[in-house]
Amino acid sequence: MGILEKISEIEKEIARTQKNKATEYHLGLLKAKLAKYRAQLLEPSKSPAAKGEGFDVMKSGDARVALIGFPSVGKSTFLSLMTSTASEAASYEFTTLTCIPGVIEYKGANIQLLDLPGIIEGAAQGKGRGRQVIAVARTADVVIMMLDATKGEVQRALLEKELESVGIRLNKSKPNIYFKPKKGGGISFNSTVTLTQCSEKLVQLILHEYKIFNAEVLFREDCSPDEFIDVIVGNRVYMPCLYVYNKIDQISMEEVDRLARRPHSVVISCGMKLNLDYLLEKLWEYLALTCIYTKKRGRKSLASQFKYALVWGTSTKYSPQRVGLTHMMEHEDVIQIVKK
């Protein structure tokens, strides 16, 4: 039995198993096995890759945004409207066959926008060119999921399932679980909160499925077995996502209002160029970029007057620490510069 067949069998068994206290250990083991097989499926092929156009695009600019969606939802049109890049657009499906980069210039920042080939259902299993599309999507800072407003919620649910199955977590934070494998001593399990979804026995069963028999585990929040498996696997990607509903000129105002009020959602019409400015504002908010400006030309440089600096924070051995110009700062460090 191949990996795809094993995945299918496990998914069917999970679907037909009733979720209750008596089956929680069985379901936990099934989910652990499913995660292992999916990880194997997404590993790069050891055979020489077939020649052809690839998807590797050098990351440039200040941020990268991936456009993901089913064929013919308007991604190529959106790219052409927002950037100077011309991406082929047509009324038939699968117009875009390679990864097309463009650049949005907004508030002084260059935002790389990647128009990825349309994902079809089953992309995570390698159908179409889904595996390559997903590999590029994992390198993005934000995902824009382009959806056809005339097709209800079907597209969104299918795409979320595809991305979830390959370890891309949308609009979620990393589970607050401390996990560290050890060389001996067995499994040390503790929690700082009351757990309603996981127990010590279930945690041990999941770890044993991964051939882990010595580890420290500390739950700092009430996480599910799926979230604990994510921590063990360690290759999950957590990124913000904007759900963009295109073609709103083809639905009722009541439906437009309903979609617009959904969390993380923006409604637009590429055909009529509606609400694109608001989409850019939301994209900027989700990217969370900070603009920092250097000194103006001709002004005296601080470096020439630099004597030493005092730094408080995680980059120092003690606080404050006296450092020189070669000291590497870390996030949220505090620095005081002393001039000559």
Coordinates of all heavy atoms in Angstrom, one line a residue, residues 35-107:
A35 N -0.1 12.7 10.3 CA 0.9 13.8 10.1 C 2.2 13.2 9.6 O 2.9 13.9 8.8 CB 1.1 14.5 11.5
K36 N 2.6 12.0 10.1 CA 3.9 11.4 9.6 C 3.8 11.1 8.1 O 4.8 11.4 7.4 CB 4.2 10.1 10.4 CG 4.7 10.3 11.8 CD 4.8 9.0 12.5 CE 5.8 8.1 11.9 NZ 5.9 6.8 12.7
Y37 N 2.7 10.5 7.6 CA 2.6 10.1 6.2 C 2.6 11.4 5.3 O 3.1 11.4 4.3 CB 1.4 9.3 6.0 CG 1.5 7.9 6.5 CD1 0.5 7.3 7.3 CD2 2.7 7.1 6.2 CE1 0.6 6.0 7.7 CE2 2.8 5.8 6.7 CZ 1.8 5.2 7.5 OH 1.9 4.0 7.9
R38 N 1.9 12.4 5.8 CA 1.8 13.7 5.0 C 3.2 14.3 4.9 O 3.5 14.8 3.9 CB 0.8 14.6 5.7 CG -0.6 14.3 5.4 CD -1.6 15.2 6.1 NE -3.0 15.0 5.7 CZ -4.0 15.5 6.3 NH1 -3.8 16.2 7.4 NH2 -5.2 15.3 5.9
A39 N 4.0 14.2 6.0 CA 5.3 14.8 5.9 C 6.2 14.0 4.9 O 7.0 14.6 4.2 CB 6.0 14.7 7.3
Q40 N 6.0 12.7 4.9 CA 6.8 11.9 3.9 C 6.4 12.2 2.5 O 7.2 12.3 1.6 CB 6.5 10.4 4.2 CG 7.1 9.8 5.5 CD 6.7 8.4 5.7 OE1 6.5 7.6 4.8 NE2 6.6 8.0 7.0
L41 N 5.1 12.5 2.3 CA 4.6 12.8 1.0 C 5.2 14.0 0.4 O 5.4 14.2 -0.8 CB 3.1 12.9 1.0 CG 2.3 13.0 -0.3 CD1 2.5 11.7 -1.1 CD2 0.9 13.3 -0.1
L42 N 5.4 15.0 1.3 CA 5.9 16.3 0.9 C 7.4 16.4 0.8 O 7.9 17.5 0.4 CB 5.3 17.4 1.8 CG 3.8 17.6 1.7 CD1 3.3 18.4 2.8 CD2 3.5 18.2 0.4
E43 N 8.1 15.4 1.2 CA 9.6 15.4 1.1 C 10.0 15.4 -0.4 O 9.3 14.8 -1.2 CB 10.2 14.1 1.7 CG 10.1 14.1 3.2 CD 10.6 12.8 3.8 OE1 11.0 11.9 3.1 OE2 10.6 12.7 5.1
P44 N 11.1 16.2 -0.7 CA 11.5 16.3 -2.1 C 11.8 14.9 -2.7 O 12.3 14.0 -2.0 CB 12.8 17.1 -2.0 CG 12.7 17.9 -0.7 CD 11.9 17.0 0.2
S45 N 11.5 14.7 -3.9 CA 11.8 13.4 -4.6 C 13.3 13.2 -4.7 O 14.0 14.2 -5.0 CB 11.1 13.4 -6.0 OG 11.4 12.2 -6.6
K46 N 13.7 12.0 -4.5 CA 15.1 11.7 -4.7 C 15.5 11.5 -6.1 O 16.7 11.5 -6.4 CB 15.5 10.5 -3.8 CG 15.3 10.7 -2.3 CD 15.7 9.4 -1.6 CE 15.5 9.6 -0.1 NZ 15.8 8.4 0.7
S47 N 14.6 11.3 -7.0 CA 14.9 11.1 -8.4 C 15.1 12.4 -9.0 O 14.6 13.4 -8.6 CB 13.7 10.4 -9.1 OG 12.5 11.2 -9.0
P48 N 16.0 12.5 -10.1 CA 16.3 13.7 -10.8 C 15.0 14.4 -11.2 O 14.1 13.8 -11.8 CB 17.1 13.3 -12.0 CG 17.7 12.0 -11.6 CD 16.6 11.3 -10.7
A49 N 14.9 15.7 -11.0 CA 13.7 16.4 -11.3 C 13.6 16.6 -12.8 O 14.6 16.7 -13.5 CB 13.7 17.8 -10.7
A50 N 12.3 16.5 -13.3 CA 12.1 16.7 -14.7 C 12.4 18.1 -15.1 O 12.1 19.1 -14.4 CB 10.7 16.3 -15.0
K51 N 13.0 18.3 -16.3 CA 13.3 19.6 -16.8 C 12.0 20.4 -17.1 O 11.0 19.8 -17.6 CB 14.2 19.5 -18.0 CG 15.6 19.0 -17.7 CD 16.5 19.0 -18.9 CE 17.8 18.5 -18.6 NZ 18.7 18.5 -19.8
G52 N 12.0 21.7 -16.9 CA 10.9 22.5 -17.2 C 10.9 23.8 -16.4 O 11.9 24.0 -15.7
E53 N 9.9 24.6 -16.5 CA 9.9 25.8 -15.8 C 9.6 25.6 -14.3 O 8.8 24.8 -13.9 CB 8.8 26.7 -16.3 CG 9.1 27.2 -17.7 CD 7.9 28.1 -18.3 OE1 6.9 27.5 -18.6 OE2 8.2 29.3 -18.3
G54 N 10.4 26.2 -13.5 CA 10.3 26.0 -12.0 C 9.6 27.1 -11.3 O 9.1 28.0 -11.9
F55 N 9.6 27.0 -10.0 CA 8.8 27.9 -9.2 C 9.7 28.7 -8.3 O 9.3 29.6 -7.6 CB 7.8 27.2 -8.4 CG 6.6 26.8 -9.1 CD1 6.7 25.6 -9.9 CD2 5.4 27.5 -9.1 CE1 5.6 25.2 -10.6 CE2 4.3 27.1 -9.8 CZ 4.4 25.9 -10.6
D56 N 11.0 28.4 -8.2 CA 11.9 29.1 -7.4 C 12.1 30.6 -7.8 O 12.6 30.9 -8.9 CB 13.3 28.5 -7.3 CG 13.3 27.1 -6.7 OD1 12.4 26.9 -5.8 OD2 14.1 26.3 -7.0
V57 N 11.6 31.5 -6.9 CA 11.7 32.9 -7.2 C 12.5 33.6 -6.1 O 12.1 33.4 -4.9 CB 10.3 33.5 -7.3 CG1 10.4 35.0 -7.6 CG2 9.5 32.9 -8.4
M58 N 13.5 34.3 -6.4 CA 14.4 34.9 -5.4 C 13.5 35.9 -4.6 O 12.8 36.7 -5.2 CB 15.6 35.6 -6.1 CG 16.5 36.3 -5.0 SD 17.9 37.0 -5.8 CE 18.8 35.6 -6.5
K59 N 13.6 35.9 -3.3 CA 12.9 36.8 -2.5 C 13.5 38.2 -2.6 O 14.7 38.3 -2.4 CB 12.9 36.3 -1.0 CG 11.9 36.9 -0.1 CD 11.7 36.2 1.2 CE 10.6 36.7 2.0 NZ 10.4 36.0 3.3
S60 N 12.7 39.2 -2.8 CA 13.2 40.5 -3.0 C 12.2 41.5 -2.3 O 11.1 41.1 -2.0 CB 13.4 40.9 -4.5 OG 12.2 40.9 -5.1
G61 N 12.7 42.7 -2.2 CA 11.8 43.7 -1.6 C 11.8 43.6 -0.1 O 12.6 43.0 0.5
D62 N 10.8 44.2 0.5 CA 10.7 44.3 2.0 C 9.8 43.2 2.5 O 9.8 42.9 3.7 CB 10.1 45.6 2.4 CG 11.0 46.8 1.9 OD1 12.2 46.8 2.3 OD2 10.5 47.6 1.0
A63 N 9.0 42.6 1.7 CA 8.1 41.5 2.2 C 7.6 40.7 1.0 O 7.7 41.2 -0.2 CB 6.9 42.1 2.9
R64 N 7.1 39.5 1.2 CA 6.6 38.6 0.1 C 5.2 38.2 0.4 O 4.9 37.8 1.5 CB 7.5 37.4 0.0 CG 6.9 36.3 -0.9 CD 7.8 35.1 -1.1 NE 8.8 35.3 -2.1 CZ 9.6 34.4 -2.6 NH1 9.5 33.2 -2.1 NH2 10.5 34.7 -3.5
V65 N 4.3 38.4 -0.6 CA 2.9 38.0 -0.4 C 2.6 37.0 -1.5 O 2.9 37.2 -2.7 CB 2.0 39.2 -0.6 CG1 0.5 38.8 -0.6 CG2 2.3 40.3 0.5
A66 N 2.0 35.9 -1.1 CA 1.6 34.8 -2.0 C 0.1 34.9 -2.3 O -0.7 35.0 -1.4 CB 1.9 33.5 -1.4
L67 N -0.2 34.9 -3.6 CA -1.6 34.9 -4.1 C -2.0 33.4 -4.3 O -1.4 32.8 -5.2 CB -1.7 35.7 -5.4 CG -2.2 37.1 -5.4 CD1 -2.1 37.7 -6.8 CD2 -3.6 37.2 -4.8
I68 N -2.9 32.9 -3.6 CA -3.3 31.5 -3.7 C -4.8 31.5 -4.1 O -5.6 32.3 -3.5 CB -3.1 30.8 -2.4 CG1 -1.6 30.6 -2.2 CG2 -3.7 29.4 -2.4 CD1 -1.2 29.9 -1.0
G69 N -5.2 30.6 -4.9 CA -6.6 30.5 -5.2 C -6.9 29.4 -6.3 O -5.9 29.0 -7.0
F70 N -8.1 29.1 -6.5 CA -8.5 28.2 -7.6 C -8.3 28.9 -8.9 O -8.2 30.1 -9.0 CB -9.9 27.7 -7.4 CG -10.0 26.6 -6.4 CD1 -10.2 26.9 -5.0 CD2 -10.0 25.3 -6.7 CE1 -10.4 25.9 -4.1 CE2 -10.1 24.2 -5.8 CZ -10.3 24.6 -4.5
P71 N -8.3 28.1 -10.0 CA -8.2 28.7 -11.3 C -9.3 29.7 -11.6 O -10.5 29.5 -11.1 CB -8.2 27.5 -12.3 CG -7.8 26.4 -11.5 CD -8.2 26.6 -10.1
S72 N -9.0 30.8 -12.3 CA -10.0 31.7 -12.8 C -10.8 32.5 -11.7 O -12.0 32.7 -11.9 CB -11.0 31.0 -13.7 OG -10.3 30.4 -14.8
V73 N -10.1 32.8 -10.6 CA -10.8 33.6 -9.6 C -10.3 35.1 -9.7 O -10.9 35.9 -9.0 CB -10.5 33.1 -8.2 CG1 -11.1 31.7 -7.9 CG2 -9.0 33.1 -7.9
G74 N -9.4 35.4 -10.5 CA -9.0 36.8 -10.7 C -7.6 37.1 -10.2 O -7.2 38.3 -10.1
K75 N -6.7 36.1 -9.9 CA -5.4 36.4 -9.4 C -4.6 37.2 -10.4 O -3.9 38.1 -10.1 CB -4.7 35.1 -9.0 CG -5.4 34.3 -7.9 CD -4.6 33.2 -7.3 CE -3.9 32.3 -8.4 NZ -4.9 31.7 -9.3
S76 N -4.6 36.7 -11.6 CA -3.7 37.3 -12.7 C -4.2 38.8 -12.9 O -3.4 39.7 -13.1 CB -3.8 36.5 -14.0 OG -3.3 35.2 -13.7
T77 N -5.5 39.0 -13.0 CA -6.0 40.4 -13.2 C -5.6 41.3 -12.0 O -5.2 42.4 -12.2 CB -7.5 40.3 -13.3 OG1 -7.9 39.4 -14.3 CG2 -8.1 41.7 -13.6
F78 N -5.7 40.7 -10.8 CA -5.3 41.5 -9.6 C -3.8 41.9 -9.7 O -3.5 43.0 -9.4 CB -5.6 40.7 -8.3 CG -5.1 41.3 -7.1 CD1 -5.9 42.4 -6.5 CD2 -4.0 40.9 -6.4 CE1 -5.5 43.0 -5.3 CE2 -3.6 41.5 -5.2 CZ -4.4 42.5 -4.7
L79 N -3.0 40.9 -10.1 CA -1.5 41.2 -10.2 C -1.3 42.3 -11.2 O -0.5 43.2 -11.0 CB -0.8 40.0 -10.6 CG 0.8 40.1 -10.7 CD1 1.4 40.0 -9.3 CD2 1.3 39.0 -11.6
S80 N -2.0 42.3 -12.3 CA -1.8 43.3 -13.4 C -2.3 44.7 -12.9 O -1.7 45.7 -13.3 CB -2.6 42.9 -14.6 OG -2.1 41.6 -15.1
L81 N -3.3 44.7 -12.1 CA -3.8 46.0 -11.6 C -2.9 46.6 -10.5 O -2.8 47.8 -10.5 CB -5.2 45.8 -11.0 CG -6.4 45.5 -12.0 CD1 -7.7 45.2 -11.2 CD2 -6.6 46.8 -12.8
M82 N -2.4 45.7 -9.6 CA -1.7 46.3 -8.5 C -0.2 46.5 -8.8 O 0.5 47.2 -8.0 CB -1.8 45.3 -7.3 CG -3.2 45.0 -6.9 SD -4.3 46.4 -6.7 CE -3.5 47.1 -5.2
T83 N 0.4 45.8 -9.8 CA 1.8 46.0 -10.1 C 2.0 46.3 -11.6 O 1.0 46.4 -12.4 CB 2.6 44.7 -9.8 OG1 2.2 43.7 -10.8 CG2 2.2 44.1 -8.5
S84 N 3.2 46.5 -12.0 CA 3.5 46.8 -13.4 C 3.7 45.5 -14.2 O 4.1 45.5 -15.4 CB 4.7 47.7 -13.5 OG 5.9 47.0 -12.9
T85 N 3.5 44.3 -13.5 CA 3.7 43.0 -14.1 C 2.4 42.6 -14.9 O 1.3 42.7 -14.4 CB 4.0 42.0 -13.1 OG1 5.2 42.4 -12.4 CG2 4.3 40.6 -13.7
A86 N 2.6 42.1 -16.1 CA 1.5 41.6 -16.9 C 1.4 40.1 -16.8 O 2.3 39.4 -17.2 CB 1.6 42.0 -18.4
S87 N 0.4 39.6 -16.1 CA 0.2 38.2 -15.9 C -1.0 37.8 -16.8 O -2.0 38.5 -16.8 CB -0.1 37.8 -14.5 OG -0.3 36.5 -14.3
E88 N -0.8 36.8 -17.6 CA -1.8 36.4 -18.6 C -3.1 36.1 -17.9 O -3.2 35.4 -16.9 CB -1.4 35.2 -19.4 CG -2.3 34.8 -20.5 CD -1.9 33.6 -21.3 OE1 -0.8 33.1 -21.0 OE2 -2.7 33.1 -22.1
A89 N -4.2 36.7 -18.4 CA -5.5 36.5 -17.8 C -6.5 36.1 -18.9 O -6.4 36.6 -20.0 CB -6.0 37.7 -17.1
A90 N -7.4 35.1 -18.6 CA -8.3 34.7 -19.6 C -9.5 34.1 -18.9 O -9.5 33.8 -17.7 CB -7.7 33.7 -20.6
S91 N -10.6 33.8 -19.6 CA -11.8 33.3 -19.0 C -11.8 31.8 -18.8 O -12.6 31.2 -18.2 CB -13.0 33.6 -19.9 OG -12.9 33.1 -21.2
Y92 N -10.7 31.1 -19.3 CA -10.6 29.7 -19.2 C -9.7 29.3 -18.0 O -8.9 30.2 -17.6 CB -10.1 29.0 -20.4 CG -8.8 29.5 -21.0 CD1 -7.6 29.1 -20.6 CD2 -8.8 30.5 -22.0 CE1 -6.4 29.6 -21.1 CE2 -7.7 31.1 -22.5 CZ -6.5 30.6 -22.0 OH -5.3 31.1 -22.5
E93 N -9.8 28.1 -17.5 CA -9.0 27.7 -16.3 C -7.5 27.4 -16.7 O -7.2 27.1 -17.8 CB -9.6 26.5 -15.7 CG -11.0 26.8 -15.1 CD -11.6 25.7 -14.2 OE1 -11.0 24.6 -14.3 OE2 -12.5 26.0 -13.5
F94 N -6.7 27.5 -15.6 CA -5.3 27.2 -15.7 C -4.5 28.1 -16.7 O -3.7 27.6 -17.4 CB -5.0 25.7 -16.0 CG -5.7 24.8 -15.0 CD1 -6.8 24.1 -15.3 CD2 -5.1 24.6 -13.8 CE1 -7.4 23.3 -14.4 CE2 -5.6 23.8 -12.8 CZ -6.8 23.1 -13.1
T95 N -4.8 29.4 -16.7 CA -4.1 30.3 -17.5 C -2.6 30.4 -17.1 O -1.7 30.4 -17.8 CB -4.7 31.7 -17.5 OG1 -6.1 31.5 -17.7 CG2 -4.2 32.6 -18.6
T96 N -2.4 30.6 -15.7 CA -1.1 30.7 -15.2 C -0.5 29.4 -14.9 O -1.1 28.6 -14.1 CB -1.2 31.6 -13.8 OG1 -1.8 32.8 -14.1 CG2 0.2 31.8 -13.3
L97 N 0.6 29.1 -15.5 CA 1.3 27.8 -15.3 C 2.6 27.9 -14.6 O 3.2 26.8 -14.2 CB 1.5 27.1 -16.7 CG 0.2 26.9 -17.5 CD1 0.5 26.3 -18.9 CD2 -0.7 25.9 -16.8
T98 N 3.1 29.1 -14.3 CA 4.3 29.2 -13.6 C 4.1 30.3 -12.5 O 3.1 31.0 -12.5 CB 5.5 29.6 -14.5 OG1 5.2 30.8 -15.2 CG2 5.8 28.5 -15.5
C99 N 5.1 30.5 -11.7 CA 5.0 31.5 -10.6 C 5.5 32.8 -11.2 O 6.6 33.0 -11.7 CB 5.9 31.1 -9.5 SG 5.9 32.2 -8.1
I100 N 4.6 33.8 -11.1 CA 4.9 35.1 -11.7 C 5.0 36.2 -10.6 O 4.1 36.4 -9.9 CB 3.7 35.5 -12.7 CG1 3.6 34.5 -13.8 CG2 4.0 36.9 -13.3 CD1 2.5 34.7 -14.7
P101 N 6.2 36.8 -10.5 CA 6.4 37.8 -9.4 C 6.1 39.2 -9.9 O 6.3 39.5 -11.1 CB 7.9 37.7 -9.1 CG 8.5 37.3 -10.4 CD 7.5 36.5 -11.2
G102 N 5.6 40.0 -9.0 CA 5.4 41.5 -9.3 C 5.7 42.2 -8.1 O 5.9 41.6 -7.0
V103 N 5.7 43.6 -8.1 CA 6.1 44.4 -7.0 C 5.0 45.5 -6.8 O 4.7 46.2 -7.7 CB 7.5 45.0 -7.2 CG1 7.8 46.0 -6.0 CG2 8.6 44.0 -7.3
I104 N 4.5 45.5 -5.6 CA 3.6 46.6 -5.2 C 4.4 47.6 -4.4 O 5.1 47.3 -3.4 CB 2.5 46.1 -4.3 CG1 1.6 45.0 -5.0 CG2 1.6 47.2 -3.8 CD1 0.6 44.4 -4.1
E105 N 4.4 48.9 -4.9 CA 5.0 50.0 -4.2 C 4.0 50.7 -3.3 O 3.1 51.3 -3.9 CB 5.7 50.9 -5.2 CG 6.8 50.3 -6.0 CD 7.4 51.2 -7.0 OE1 7.0 52.4 -7.1 OE2 8.3 50.8 -7.7
Y106 N 4.2 50.6 -2.0 CA 3.2 51.2 -1.1 C 3.9 51.7 0.1 O 4.6 51.0 0.8 CB 2.2 50.1 -0.7 CG 1.0 50.6 0.0 CD1 0.0 51.4 -0.6 CD2 0.8 50.3 1.4 CE1 -1.1 51.8 0.1 CE2 -0.3 50.7 2.1 CZ -1.3 51.5 1.5 OH -2.4 52.0 2.2
K107 N 3.6 53.0 0.4 CA 4.2 53.7 1.6 C 5.7 53.5 1.7 O 6.2 53.3 2.8 CB 3.5 53.2 2.9 CG 2.0 53.5 3.0 CD 1.4 53.2 4.3 CE 0.0 53.7 4.4 NZ -0.6 53.4 5.8

